[in-house]
Amino acid sequence: MSIAFSKYQGLGNDFILIDNRHSDTPAIEPDEAIMWCDRHFGIGGDGVIFVLPGTADTDYTMRIFNSDGSEPEMCGNGIRCMAKFIAALEGKIDEAVTYKIHTLAGIITPEIFPEGQVRVDMGEPRLLAAEIPTTLATPKDKVVDRSIEVDGKSWTVTCVSMGNPHCMTFVEDANAIPLATIGPKFECHPVFTQKTNTEFVQVIRPDYLRMRVWERGAGITLACGTGACATVVAGVLTGKSDRNCTVELPGGCLYIEWSIEDNRVYMTGPAELVFTGSVAQ
C-alpha cells in the first residue's frame, strides 16, 4: 500500500498535501507526519495538510499536522496551497474558482485567480485577551503595546488571533533578531496558554512591513500567512501601518487588506506545486 501526495509551497512555506476526501480521518498519524516532514530522512515540509470531506455547507475540511506533530487551528499559506491542490484534483487548474473550507479556526474562503494568485478571506481578527488566548491583559481587554520579559529583556508586544495566536513586536531591524534563540522562548512563555506564533516586524513604510516569524510547532519558516495578517492588524492598532499593506517575508511578499467595511482580513499571495510522489506504508 502507498499514499500519494503532492508537495506545494507558498513563499517557501512548504506543505505535503494528501487527498483525504474518502474519509473524515487523516490518512497518517501525527508521529508519521513528523517523519514525512523531516528534511533529511523524509519528504521535507513545514506540515502535512489533509483535504477531508466538507461539513454542513462547506466544500472541504482542512486538517494539518505541523512538523512537530502538533495540530494548529489552520494555516494561511497552507490554505492557499490546499486551494491550488483541490483545483488540480478537480481539473480546474486554469480556472477562477472559490472554495469554502472548514477549519478549526472557522470557515475560510480562498479564491483562485486565473493568473495563479490566491486571495483568502481570513475572517475577522480576534483582539481580546481571552480570544488569543493570553494572560497579558484581562480577558475582555485588547493586548496592545503590552510589556513582556523574554530572555532577560523587556519587549513591547501586541497580540492578535487569526484563529490561531500571534504575538507581534516591532523592532528596528528584523534581520538582526536571533530568531532560533528567542523564538522558542516567546512560543513557550507562560502568558500564552496555548503557546504562540511570534512575529518580529520592521516598518519600512506604513504600507510596507518586513517580518520574520517563529511559528508555533514549526519553528523558523520562510513565510506565515496568518502571521502576515496579524502583523498588519497589529500595525493598525499601534498606529504604525496602513490597513492595506505589503508584508515582506523571507520567502517573498503577501498583500494584506484589513477591510474597514466588513472588518475582515484578506490575504493575497502565490501557491505553487513543487512535485508529486507516493510513500509506501
Side-chain angles (χ1 to χ4, degrees), residues 64-262:
I64 175 171
F65 295 150
N66 283 325
S67 58
D68 70 349
S70 61
E71 182 171 6
E73 296 83 355
M74 65 87 63
C75 173
N77 286 320
I79 206 161
R80 294 200 319 278
C81 291
M82 179 176 171
K84 294 292 283 287
F85 178 57
I86 293 169
L89 292 176
E90 295 182 347
K92 299 178 180 178
I93 293 177
D94 297 321
E95 298 181 28
V97 61
T98 300
Y99 298 107
K100 290 179 67 176
I101 298 177
H102 177 261
T103 77
L104 295 179
I107 296 175
I108 306 296
T109 308
E111 176 185 5
I112 303 175
F113 297 137
E115 68 272 18
Q117 291 281 301
V118 184
R119 184 175 189 256
V120 185
D121 177 354
M122 300 289 287
E124 297 186 38
R126 302 162 197 181
L127 306 179
L128 304 184
E131 297 174 317
I132 291 165
T134 179
T135 60
L136 272 172
T138 57
K140 294 185 178 181
D141 283 338
K142 295 178 182 178
V143 186
V144 179
D145 283 342
R146 300 280 177 150
S147 294
I148 181 175
E149 185 168 314
V150 180
D151 199 30
K153 177 182 175 181
S154 180
W155 303 76
T156 299
V157 301
T158 296
C159 299
V160 174
S161 172
M162 291 303 306
N164 57 354
H166 291 271
C167 172
M168 278 66 56
T169 181
F170 289 86
V171 298
E172 289 294 321
D173 183 359
N175 292 328
I177 298 296
L179 205 53
T181 301
I182 199 68
K185 296 178 180 179
F186 268 92
E187 177 185 359
C188 298
H189 197 288
V191 300
F192 302 112
T193 57
Q194 294 180 16
K195 299 186 178 180
T196 191
N197 302 280
T198 309
E199 287 77 27
F200 299 88
V201 187
Q202 179 180 349
V203 179
I204 306 300
R205 302 187 308 269
D207 65 345
Y208 195 102
L209 306 177
R210 177 176 295 148
M211 182 263 276
R212 294 176 67 211
V213 60
W214 176 272
E215 289 200 52
R216 180 186 60 165
I220 297 173
T221 60
L222 294 178
C224 177
T226 55
C229 294
T231 289
V232 172
V233 173
V236 173
L237 292 176
T238 56
K240 292 180 171 66
S241 77
D242 299 337
R243 283 180 170 264
N244 295 350
C245 202
T246 297
V247 180
E248 176 194 314
L249 305 108
C253 292
L254 290 170
Y255 182 69
I256 310 298
E257 310 162 66
W258 184 14
S259 172
I260 198 168
E261 287 81 12
D262 60 12

Side-chain angles (χ1 to χ4, degrees), residues 9-40:
Q9 61 88 13
L11 299 183
N13 202 190
D14 56 342
F15 304 93
I16 302 160
L17 279 294
I18 296 177
D19 180 2
N20 214 117
R21 293 176 294 174
H22 61 284
S23 172
D24 292 325
T25 302
I28 65 172
E29 298 291 330
D31 59 341
E32 294 176 286
I34 294 173
M35 296 173 60
W36 283 36
C37 289
D38 190 286
R39 298 189 183 278
H40 299 286

